[in-house]
Amino acid sequence: MTTLTPSLSLDSFRDQHGDPTRWSTADIDSYLVIGEVAPPDPPLHSYSEMQAIAADWARTAEVQQSVADRLLAQGHETAAGIWARGARGAREYAAAARYGYPHYEAVLNGW
């Protein structure tokens, strides 16, 4: 009877071996080898999904900027500034999403 073992990934290796600061030299070597031979995890979103997310962020930026412009025209400078900052952030996320998930994730997490 053959039992299937789960495929080894860097995450599962860390889960099995605990804190990396306590690893032996052999554990570190094993970890590096797994990193070289294990297939990378697929991105959370495909390229086409990221383009749709980018379009959503671009639309959000347009709406926020129009609210900021309207508030500024009415003399509400502080509120307009808040909405304008939101629009800048949405444009930044849209630009990051156009590059694909790894770049988008880095921007979201501030890496």
Side-chain angles (χ1 to χ4, degrees), residues 61-109:
E62 289 174 17
V63 169
Q64 289 180 338
Q65 188 62 54
S66 71
V67 171
D69 294 342
R70 188 172 54 243
L71 287 169
L72 189 59
Q74 295 171 356
H76 304 289
E77 294 176 9
T78 303
I82 293 168
W83 281 90
R85 278 194 305 276
R88 279 194 301 274
R91 282 191 294 273
E92 179 183 345
Y93 291 151
R98 286 186 195 102
Y99 284 106
Y101 184 75
H103 187 76
Y104 181 67
E105 179 185 32
V107 170
L108 285 178
N109 292 318

Side-chain angles (χ1 to χ4, degrees), residues 21-89:
T21 60
R22 299 178 192 269
W23 289 354
S24 68
T25 303
D27 291 335
I28 293 170
D29 288 343
S30 297
Y31 184 79
L32 293 174
V33 168
I34 291 168
E36 292 175 3
V37 299
D41 294 331
L44 187 59
H45 297 289
S46 69
Y47 181 78
S48 61
E49 290 171 326
M50 288 309 303
Q51 299 315 300
I53 290 171
D56 289 343
W57 277 115
R59 282 190 296 278
T60 298
E62 289 174 17
V63 169
Q64 289 180 338
Q65 188 62 54
S66 71
V67 171
D69 294 342
R70 188 172 54 243
L71 287 169
L72 189 59
Q74 295 171 356
H76 304 289
E77 294 176 9
T78 303
I82 293 168
W83 281 90
R85 278 194 305 276
R88 279 194 301 274

